[in-house]
Amino acid sequence: MNEPRPQSGRLSAKNPLRLKRYADRPPLALEPHRVKEHKEHYVETRSFTTCFDEFKEEISDLEMIRDRGHLVYVHGAHGTGKTSLICRCAYYLKELPTQAEVCVVDARSLVGPTGTPQRRMLGLALRICWELLASQHFRDDQNRKQQVQNVISDIERLKADRSLTPDTIRTEISTMLFEIDLASVRDGPLVVVILPRSSNLADVCFYADVVQPCMLFFTEIQDEDLDEGEPPFHGNISVIQLRTRSLEVEDGWAFIQQRLSGKMDGQESWKIQADDIKRIMTAYEGRMTIRMLVDGLVDLFEQIIGTDSSRDVSYSDLESQFIVARGSRERAPHDR
């Protein structure tokens, strides 16, 4: 019998939502940037597909990014698939039929002291420079290579100065990135796609102020962080807004069918009925998210595996992972 899932989030080997390469992490069904077969990872839901189509309409050619910087901000409630959407858009840019070189800088792992976005910006600028040095455009051009190395030295100097203000950092970083002059590359555009860490709206606005031509920043904003309909971004950049939404009832069942397809071999009794999922999602009155659905199913399968049982998944099983569990924190919608 398998041991129960520990608090670290590790999934049992038999859990159909487990990704083998990252078994020591919490459920990763929604982290496609960690999956090799990226294109096959997505489950088409209406909200997700609509947002992705909107992005493709805005950015259909990488030459569009060459002369103007872009900021794409994705907002929505927690667990509605913002990170998955950003990853899909980033991979879409890499797969466009073009001679352009696309450099994706995933800096979401960068951490810094709370309340110091300027420190995180220095780390982000440093990460961008190191990625540029590895790109073909700079690796084969000694003059441009030296240019980036000089910027790296300047950033290291700034990191040692603890008296810097956000305005100073913003000005310095903007100047440094502008001096690299990505848009002057003659062998086709080099597009830098940046996925920065953002913990609040102030961080996002900070990033927006340093966006340069040939740079496209993605960022996430929680709905509760938005006091107004649109964040106060300034400058000459192009701002693209994408909004993720909660799952529709039909999408919840489609998600389960596609995500679990082929992953329950030898566990034929682990059957989930469409009507049961629809009843659960209806009880949430349109507020069920992909994250909630995945987490509930992950724990349900862990419970079945842990008790070494073999039976059909019943509505009461699902209810215990969704409505009842949720009611321990707040009352379920149908009880109000």
Side-chain angles (χ1 to χ4, degrees), residues 16 260-272 301 313:
L260 300 182
S261 175
K263 295 187 177 181
M264 299 177 68
D265 296 338
Q267 300 290 345
E268 290 299 325
S269 64
W270 292 7
K271 293 179 181 177
I272 299 175
F301 288 127
V313 175

Side-chain angles (χ1 to χ4, degrees), residues 295-314:
D295 283 347
L297 292 174
V298 161
D299 289 336
L300 173 63
F301 288 127
E302 287 298 314
Q303 177 183 336
I304 294 174
I305 294 168
T307 57
D308 199 26
S309 63
S310 180
R311 52 183 170 72
D312 290 349
V313 175
S314 67

